[in-house]
Amino acid sequence: MTQEEKTKIEERIVDVLKTVYDPEIPVNIWDLGMIYKIDVKDDGNVDLDMTFTAPNCPAADFILEDVRTKVDSVEGVAATNVNLVFEPAWDQSMMTEEARVELGFE
């Protein structure tokens, strides 16, 4: 797989991640800054590092499954491995400007 193909797959992954929401927050997980890494491998497997706004998120299982299912549905993705990480700890500075405005932080 060429770097250009990987980049196109990554762009499609970002598009689907923008459709994943924490049920308690009206902003998608991409704009919240909860996705730390997307690594598209030559074989189409994807390693994705993500976090939560709080380690004890009650919707964690739902969100993780939503991420895995939606990324798996992207053309060119063979399988998705979602790694839940808490380093670095999430904070409000990781949000996009749009997310901060939507949530009233700016």
Side-chain angles (χ1 to χ4, degrees), residues 34-53:
M34 293 169 49
I35 304 300
Y36 288 172
K37 178 185 89 172
I38 301 170
D39 185 15
V40 179
K41 309 284 189 190
D42 286 335
D43 60 3
N45 289 328
V46 174
D47 284 332
L48 191 140
D49 289 356
M50 69 171 290
T51 195
F52 289 111
T53 56

Side-chain angles (χ1 to χ4, degrees), residues 2 12 15-16 25 47 81 86:
T2 67
R12 290 193 299 264
D15 287 344
V16 300
I25 305 173
D47 284 332
N81 178 40
F86 293 101

Side-chain angles (χ1 to χ4, degrees), residues 18-91:
K18 288 181 177 182
T19 70
V20 178
Y21 289 81
D22 180 322
E24 298 176 342
I25 305 173
V27 176
N28 67 72
I29 64 170
W30 178 262
D31 288 335
L32 284 171
M34 293 169 49
I35 304 300
Y36 288 172
K37 178 185 89 172
I38 301 170
D39 185 15
V40 179
K41 309 284 189 190
D42 286 335
D43 60 3
N45 289 328
V46 174
D47 284 332
L48 191 140
D49 289 356
M50 69 171 290
T51 195
F52 289 111
T53 56
N56 57 350
C57 175
D61 291 341
F62 167 78
I63 295 169
L64 285 171
E65 188 55 33
D66 200 23
V67 167
R68 185 175 296 105
T69 301
K70 287 182 175 176
V71 175
D72 276 348
S73 74
V74 171
E75 184 181 338
V77 172
T80 306
N81 178 40
V82 180
N83 302 303
L84 187 57
V85 297
F86 293 101
E87 291 294 324
W90 180 90
D91 66 51

Side-chain angles (χ1 to χ4, degrees), residues 5-23:
E5 290 170 321
K6 289 180 184 180
T7 300
K8 287 184 189 291
I9 291 170
E10 187 173 326
E11 289 169 356
R12 290 193 299 264
I13 290 170
V14 170
D15 287 344
V16 300
L17 290 173
K18 288 181 177 182
T19 70
V20 178
Y21 289 81
D22 180 322

